C-alpha cells in the first residue's frame, strides 16, 4: 500500500512541524488534486500518523510498518500491531492510501 497521489505531510516542500515546546509539534496532512475533493483543507494529525504517512510515501506492507514502528519507537510488536492495523483501516476508509 502507498499514499495516493495528492496526499502529503508537507506544505510547499517543507515538513509542517511547528515545535513551540517539546512534545507539542503540530503535524498536518495536505491534499491536492482529486484527493482535495474529500479533504479541501489540511487536517491535523498526530506524530505517529505523521510518521506512518511518511513511511507510506513508498510502497509498504502492514508488516513493514509494524517493524519500522518497533525499531523506531522501541516498543513491543504486540503493542503497536493493532494500532497500525486500525490506522491503516482508517486511511483506507478515507481513500488516502492505495491497496
Amino acid at each position: 500500500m502507498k499514499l495516493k497521489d495528492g496526499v502529503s505531510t508537507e506544505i510547499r516542500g517543507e515538513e509542517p512541524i511547528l515545535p513551540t515546546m517539546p512534545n507539542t509539534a503540530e503535524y498536518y496532512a495536505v491534499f491536492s488534486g482529486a484527493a482535495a475533493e474529500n479533504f479541501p483543507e489540511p487536517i491535523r494529525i498526530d506524530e505517529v500518523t505523521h510518521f506512518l504517512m511518511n513511511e507510506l510515501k513508498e510502497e509498504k506492507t502492514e508488516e513493514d510498518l509494524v517493524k519500522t514502528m518497533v525499531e523506531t519507537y522501541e516498543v513491543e510488536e504486540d503493542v503497536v500491531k493493532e494500532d497500525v492495523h486500525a490506522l491503516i483501516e482508517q486511511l483506507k476508509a478515507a481513500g488516502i492510501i492505495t491497496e
Side-chain angles (χ1 to χ4, degrees):
M1 72 194 95
K2 180 178 173 174
L3 283 180
K4 286 188 174 179
D5 290 340
V7 180
S8 177
T9 57
E10 299 178 4
I11 297 175
R12 294 187 202 110
E14 296 181 17
E15 290 287 320
I17 303 171
L18 310 171
T20 55
M21 297 173 59
N23 301 320
T24 61
E26 293 183 11
Y27 303 89
Y28 292 88
V30 182
F31 306 88
S32 62
E37 292 176 15
N38 294 330
F39 302 96
E41 299 292 326
I43 58 171
R44 189 172 179 184
I45 56 177
D46 64 21
E47 178 182 353
V48 173
T49 302
H50 179 264
F51 176 81
L52 291 173
M53 287 179 73
N54 277 335
E55 288 295 308
L56 287 167
K57 289 178 181 178
E58 297 179 12
E59 189 71 32
K60 302 280 178 155
T61 65
E62 190 168 319
E63 293 78 22
D64 293 335
L65 297 175
V66 169
K67 182 179 177 187
T68 301
M69 288 288 296
V70 168
E71 292 170 356
T72 303
Y73 289 97
E74 298 179 4
V75 293
E76 296 295 322
E77 182 176 325
D78 59 333
V79 172
V80 297
K81 194 171 189 173
E82 286 184 35
D83 292 337
V84 168
H85 179 74
L87 178 62
I88 294 302
E89 292 302 311
Q90 290 175 343
L91 295 176
K92 284 180 184 177
I96 293 173
I97 59 175
T98 62
E99 294 287 329

